[in-house]
Amino acid sequence: MSLKTSLKFSLIYILVLILQTLSISLASLPQGLFHLKIASKIRTDEQSLLSVSTDYGNLTTSIPEAVLYPSSPHDISSLIRFSYTSSNPFSIAPRGNGHSINGQASAPDGVVINMRSLGYGRSNRINVSVVNRYVDVGGEQLWSDLLHETLKYGLAPRSWTDYLHLTVGGTLSVGGISGQTSRYGPQISNVLELDVITGKGEMITCSKDKNSDLFLAVLGGMGQFGIITRARIILSPAPQKVHWVRLVYTDVVTFTQDQERLISTENNEGSPLRLFYYVEGSFLVDRGLLGSWRSPEFFTERDYDRMSQLVTEDGLGGVYYIEGAVYYTDEIAVQVNQELKLLLGELSYVPDYAFIRNVSYVEFLDRVHDGELKLREIGEWEVPHPWLNLFVPKSRILDFDAGVIKGILSNSSAAGIILMYPMNRNKWDDRMSTMIPDEEIFYTFGLLRSASRENLQVLIDENDKILQFCNLAGIKYKQYLPHYATTRGWMKHFGKKWDNFLAMKAKYDPELILSPGSTILSAYI
């Protein structure tokens, strides 16, 4: 399809959408909805509506007309099929644990599905196959619950997110990344099969070999083509313990070079550089050397004092550190300790600034939850979170660091997490919907900050400045957990996949019912 034809098709499709959106906004839900068998599971009371009106981002508020509390995937199918066949289709959005940032799980004037309701009182939503080493898990299940269930069999998924109290369907709808991604790929690369309910209400089982177009579109598809009700995920033998390592750096060149060496696919299986099963990098600003909600107990007060002194002596705005994890069992503990010493000898961190903690596998994976509990205690969890997540090509990461870390953010007074770590493109399946840069190695940049109402706009403006800098500098980034205000922005984001996006939308959600909160097709050019 030519660019001219593609643009014409896009404009026609958007015009249809605008007309549909206007018709939806001018009418309440069809009364026939409340005569269906699922009517007793649909709530319209104020408490139910307000419970799904915002999300973790706390940046938007959108109140639906109703909330569905399904007890089976058939309930979800009935709701969507009713909307699809209605003369006035209404929007529908699945909501897991509400950890989106910009209202992606909202359904203005429509129905939000409380996906967690699928698992209430049901013990058959996580089923482990020890022989085949996979688990069938409901899309509504939390990764933390999945971890504890699979560990009963000595198994666990290979790829995680840093925060485990997210639903399986939620992370698979965006990608699912963490320090294991460089070795095992994102979570979407570790899925064998899905059960999906499309925008027509069809219940379809799909995989790379069966209904593959739907399978590839849904993974990373932001809920645009279907709702995940079951996923079959690869399992591996679970380690017992973890050497949790942090190595401090004062210059970005050495910091990035060592990270790239650690994730290199050219490392032989016996090389010490292969020891880390997890690799992430961070920048710890001088103003933030007081701890981190992601792992509040890792550094001691003496550690912070030493790093602050390092920052002061070198006139830095902060320090970089590589975070690694060595998995092991008691049987190989001695050997692993020796290999870890060899590994540390290969890296160029600041001498005497290697910090190591020995923890259980569960403690390491669920490390963010402790920080969450502490923030909840002091009322600082449910605050605005104007997060920005980008994938930046390796060839421009030093330019990005100079313009963003040492430029735009150098005088920022906001505390928060700044992640910057590399991934291997060959661990991703480019046919899936998540967009990544074209280079073989790219970095994830995560600006994970909490805001008050007083400084919220300042942080949003800084995010905008970062995007403007990238655009002016010609840095061909991709947003992770993307959010664009215009359809033109979405077209640029999807690039050559835009035509396929429209085709899949027309095939599996032709009435534009699903997940309108992403605003992919509802924004004006």
Side-chain angles (χ1 to χ4, degrees), residues 8 11 120 146 155 176 208 221 282 298 323 342 348 366 432 437:
K8 181 179 179 181
L11 289 171
Y120 294 164
L146 176 58
L155 300 171
K208 286 187 177 181
S282 298
F298 187 93
E323 184 171 59
L342 292 174
S348 301
D366 207 20
M432 295 176 181

Side-chain angles (χ1 to χ4, degrees), residues 305-323:
D305 289 341
R306 292 181 62 210
M307 285 188 286
S308 292
Q309 185 178 359
L310 190 65
V311 169
T312 302
E313 289 175 352
D314 291 0
L316 305 171
V319 294
Y320 304 89
Y321 67 82
I322 292 176
E323 184 171 59

Side-chain angles (χ1 to χ4, degrees), residues 183 243 245 262 268-277 325-329 332-347 349 356:
R183 177 173 289 212
H243 287 312
V245 181
L262 287 167
N268 296 324
E269 200 58 44
S271 168
L273 293 173
R274 289 279 293 173
L275 196 59
F276 281 167
Y277 285 80
V326 181
Y327 299 164
Y328 67 100
T329 58
I332 60 172
V334 174
Q335 175 188 341
V336 167
N337 288 339
Q338 294 172 345
E339 292 175 348
L340 179 56
K341 289 180 180 178
L342 292 174
L343 169 61
L344 296 181
E346 293 269 354
L347 302 175
Y349 57 92
I356 303 174

Side-chain angles (χ1 to χ4, degrees), residues 51-69:
S51 71
V52 299
S53 64
T54 189
D55 55 22
Y56 179 71
N58 274 302
L59 303 174
T60 63
T61 299
S62 177
I63 301 177
E65 290 286 325
V67 180
L68 173 68
Y69 292 81

Side-chain angles (χ1 to χ4, degrees), residues 206-217 431 508:
C206 54
S207 67
K208 286 187 177 181
D209 300 317
K210 181 180 181 181
N211 300 310
S212 60
D213 63 338
L214 180 62
F215 180 78
L216 296 169
R431 297 172 297 171
Y508 290 109

Side-chain angles (χ1 to χ4, degrees), residues 193-466:
E193 187 177 271
L194 296 172
D195 282 345
V196 174
I197 302 176
T198 72
K200 299 178 181 179
E202 302 167 308
M203 302 175 68
I204 299 178
T205 298
C206 54
S207 67
K208 286 187 177 181
D209 300 317
K210 181 180 181 181
N211 300 310
S212 60
D213 63 338
L214 180 62
F215 180 78
L216 296 169
V218 165
L219 291 171
M222 297 173 285
Q224 293 299 304
F225 314 106
I227 296 173
I228 298 171
T229 58
R230 178 188 65 89
R232 177 168 291 177
I233 297 169
I234 297 170
L235 299 177
S236 290
Q240 297 169 335
K241 299 179 179 179
V242 175
H243 287 312
W244 186 3
V245 181
R246 287 184 179 176
L247 310 172
V248 175
Y249 293 74
T250 56
D251 74 283
V252 68
V253 174
T254 309
F255 167 71
T256 53
Q257 286 177 345
D258 274 2
Q259 285 197 86
E260 290 163 18
R261 292 179 66 207
L262 287 167
I263 72 158
S264 175
T265 56
E266 296 179 3
N267 293 330
N268 296 324
E269 200 58 44
S271 168
L273 293 173
R274 289 279 293 173
L275 196 59
F276 281 167
Y277 285 80
Y278 161 106
V279 176
E280 284 193 3
S282 298
F283 181 75
L284 193 60
V285 296
D286 187 25
R287 296 172 300 281
L289 292 177
L290 299 175
S292 163
W293 59 265
R294 298 178 74 246
S295 48
E297 306 299 334
F298 187 93
F299 291 121
T300 66
E301 288 189 17
R302 182 173 180 274
D303 295 336
Y304 285 120
D305 289 341
R306 292 181 62 210
M307 285 188 286
S308 292
Q309 185 178 359
L310 190 65
V311 169
T312 302
E313 289 175 352
D314 291 0
L316 305 171
V319 294
Y320 304 89
Y321 67 82
I322 292 176
E323 184 171 59
V326 181
Y327 299 164
Y328 67 100
T329 58
D330 289 332
E331 291 77 12
I332 60 172
V334 174
Q335 175 188 341
V336 167
N337 288 339
Q338 294 172 345
E339 292 175 348
L340 179 56
K341 289 180 180 178
L342 292 174
L343 169 61
L344 296 181
E346 293 269 354
L347 302 175
S348 301
Y349 57 92
V350 178
D352 298 323
Y353 279 83
F355 303 90
I356 303 174
R357 286 189 61 200
N358 300 312
V359 297
S360 71
Y361 183 57
V362 172
E363 185 179 355
F364 172 72
L365 289 181
D366 207 20
R367 61 198 177 278
V368 175
H369 188 50
D370 289 338
E372 174 193 352
L373 295 177
K374 287 179 171 59
L375 290 178
R376 285 189 182 278
E377 286 179 5
I378 60 177
E380 293 187 7
W381 182 257
E382 295 180 354
V383 298
H385 297 97
W387 287 8
L388 178 65
N389 294 272
L390 305 177
F391 290 148
V392 180
K394 169 191 167 182
S395 65
R396 302 302 305 275
I397 194 61
L398 298 183
D399 297 327
F400 183 88
D401 176 83
V404 176
I405 301 294
K406 297 182 176 66
I408 296 169
L409 299 177
S410 61
N411 295 315
S412 178
S413 60
I417 311 301
I418 302 178
L419 300 175
M420 194 164 76
Y421 61 92
M423 300 178 179
N424 291 304
R425 195 176 199 280
N426 63 7
K427 299 296 182 179
W428 296 68
D429 189 330
D430 193 44
R431 297 172 297 171
M432 295 176 181
S433 292
T434 303
M435 298 303 300
I436 58 177
D438 290 332
E439 295 187 10
E440 289 306 310
I441 295 177
F442 59 90
Y443 278 74
T444 183
F445 168 78
L447 187 56
L448 314 182
R449 301 188 290 181
S450 300
S452 64
R453 290 299 172 187
E454 289 72 26
N455 72 348
L456 174 58
Q457 191 58 50
V458 173
L459 302 192
I460 292 174
D461 290 344
E462 287 180 351
N463 289 349
D464 290 340
K465 288 178 182 178
I466 291 171

